[in-house]
Amino acid sequence: MDRNSDIFLEIKWTINDIQELLKANNCDYSDEAIENFFKNLDIDYMEEQCIEFGWDLLQSSIK
């Protein structure tokens, strides 16, 4: 951990991650399929859930 930075963890999801997810599940992973995936994904909800889960993990580490 870099003590010169306030950030200790940053997660970035990429288009390649989605492509690999679709491939791993034997789904179409064309550009059109990826576009459709994003049309059906509530990114704000995903972000909220990731943050909430992160807080739960942090909280459980101090108990």
Side-chain angles (χ1 to χ4, degrees):
M1 184 166 77
D2 181 3
R3 297 229 179 243
N4 295 322
S5 173
D6 287 341
I7 299 170
F8 69 92
L9 176 66
E10 184 175 32
I11 299 170
K12 295 185 184 236
W13 294 89
T14 67
I15 301 298
N16 188 60
D17 293 328
I18 303 307
Q19 187 177 40
E20 291 301 317
L21 174 70
L22 293 171
K23 276 188 205 178
N25 286 278
N26 298 315
C27 297
D28 177 14
Y29 55 91
S30 66
D31 289 343
E32 183 179 344
I34 292 170
E35 266 185 54
N36 288 333
F37 180 88
F38 281 113
K39 285 179 186 173
N40 295 314
L41 178 66
D42 184 341
I43 292 176
D44 291 333
Y45 178 74
M46 181 179 173
E47 181 180 36
E48 288 170 16
Q49 291 300 296
C50 289
I51 292 167
E52 185 176 319
F53 183 69
W55 277 111
D56 289 345
L57 287 173
L58 291 171
Q59 185 68 38
S60 69
S61 71
I62 61 171
K63 290 183 178 178

